[in-house]
Amino acid sequence: MSSIQDHANAVLNLLRADAQLTVYDGQVTGTADHYALVYSFRQLPGGELAPDKTSLVGDSTTVDMRFYIHCVGVDAVAARAVQGRVQAALLDVRPTIAGRECFPIRWVEGTQQEPNEETLSLVVDAVDVYSLVTVPG
Amino acid sequence: MPSVTFNDHDLTAWTKDLEKAAAIAPAEAAKVVTKGAVNIKADARRRISGLAHAPAYPRSITFDPVHVNRTVATTEIGPDKGKRQGPLGNILEYGAPGRNTPPHPHMSPAAEAEMPRFARAMEALAVKAIEP
């Protein structure tokens, strides 16, 4: 039985395969001035929301894992560069998770680049949300 | 001289059905959009309730009056920045690295949850509108 962590690892490992990309998982733990900060949000859609991926008995076996990825840089150029690396690592990639069939990772939504509202710093943050949907393999 | 006669009775009746549907569809669509907006607002408020540092934020989530014309019915749902804690919407939905604040997705999931109900309601509206 694959866990939520397996799903998170599948995406984090894709990102970390890029040696030029600093990746933080849920918390900024370093001092890099440009990085991708990854938050995950798990959903278990039932037949109403994922009718094409739900078994006839209606069990909630589909996992729709959302990854909220903050692409942060010291300026717009740096933030866009991080966004591009994240996109190259994830978009349309079909990861491997033991016991699960993975659909290609898709982009769901995003926000435009904007300075950090709280600190009024020059750090620019753009958020992209990606979705990884899996079903029992 | 051979001749051909066309009976357009059914076509004429169908045209009248479509004209009737076009006449009632905008108002009916506005009702469906309003109901969907109410559901999304309530669901989003429920999903984001209980945050100690944002107790007033849920009540900032509202929707605009539905704008309707012959072809489109629209509204906008989300936090009103003019209301107390309304400006927190973006930070709460997507998180904020500056404070290590994780996202609390509430608007997007609420909208996604409503989509199948909204689609069914629009289908029912279409069927009702073109029934003779």
Side-chain angles (χ1 to χ4, degrees):
Chain A
M1 181 67 177
S2 298
S3 68
I4 303 169
Q5 189 61 51
D6 292 328
H7 287 73
N9 286 343
V11 166
L12 289 168
N13 289 340
L14 288 172
L15 293 170
R16 285 172 174 153
D18 181 347
Q20 302 299 311
L21 189 60
T22 300
V23 181
Y24 296 126
D25 178 15
Q27 192 170 10
V28 177
T29 54
T31 57
D33 62 3
H34 60 281
Y35 56 86
L37 171 62
V38 181
Y39 296 106
S40 62
F41 172 60
R42 185 199 59 168
Q43 300 185 108
L44 300 173
E48 189 175 48
L49 283 178
D52 57 327
K53 301 181 181 67
T54 304
S55 69
L56 291 177
V57 295
D59 290 345
S60 299
T61 53
T62 301
V63 172
D64 182 355
M65 198 95 162
R66 299 294 170 93
F67 294 89
Y68 287 66
I69 303 178
H70 287 259
C71 303
V72 177
V74 293
D75 55 24
V77 173
R80 274 196 291 270
V82 174
Q83 259 186 315
R85 288 189 172 278
V86 169
Q87 175 183 322
L90 299 184
L91 189 62
D92 298 333
V93 173
R94 191 189 294 264
T96 302
I97 301 174
R100 306 290 294 181
E101 181 182 349
C102 299
F103 291 84
I105 296 169
R106 301 299 192 198
W107 182 88
V108 178
E109 61 172 320
T111 67
Q112 60 187 347
Q113 298 179 350
E114 52 191 40
N116 188 306
E117 293 179 2
E118 294 169 295
T119 62
L120 299 179
S121 69
L122 294 178
V123 171
V124 175
D125 177 17
V127 185
D128 280 320
V129 182
Y130 289 89
S131 168
L132 169 60
V133 176
T134 76
V135 294
Chain B
M1 181 68 134
S3 65
V4 178
T5 302
F6 292 96
N7 183 340
D8 65 354
H9 173 77
D10 288 345
L11 183 60
T12 302
W14 176 239
T15 303
K16 288 180 178 172
D17 288 343
L18 291 180
E19 287 173 347
K20 186 199 84 177
I24 67 170
E28 293 297 316
K31 292 177 189 174
V32 172
V33 171
T34 300
K35 175 63 175 167
V38 168
N39 290 343
I40 292 170
K41 179 191 77 171
D43 190 14
R45 285 182 172 187
R46 179 186 60 77
R47 290 172 188 262
I48 200 63
S49 291
L51 294 182
H53 59 284
Y57 173 74
R59 287 191 297 280
S60 77
I61 299 172
T62 59
F63 64 93
D64 295 339
V66 174
H67 174 75
V68 62
N69 59 30
R70 285 181 57 85
T71 57
V72 178
T74 60
T75 185
E76 186 172 337
I77 313 158
D80 182 342
K81 290 194 174 184
K83 292 183 178 289
R84 191 168 165 231
Q85 294 193 319
L88 294 177
N90 207 50
I91 292 171
L92 290 172
E93 181 77 21
Y94 296 106
R99 281 191 188 170
N100 277 330
T101 300
H104 295 81
H106 55 290
M107 291 306 312
S108 293
E112 287 182 27
E114 183 62 17
M115 281 173 60
R117 289 192 291 268
F118 181 77
R120 278 201 303 273
M122 291 301 287
E123 285 175 5
L125 160 61
V127 170
K128 177 183 168 189
I130 62 173
E131 277 178 344

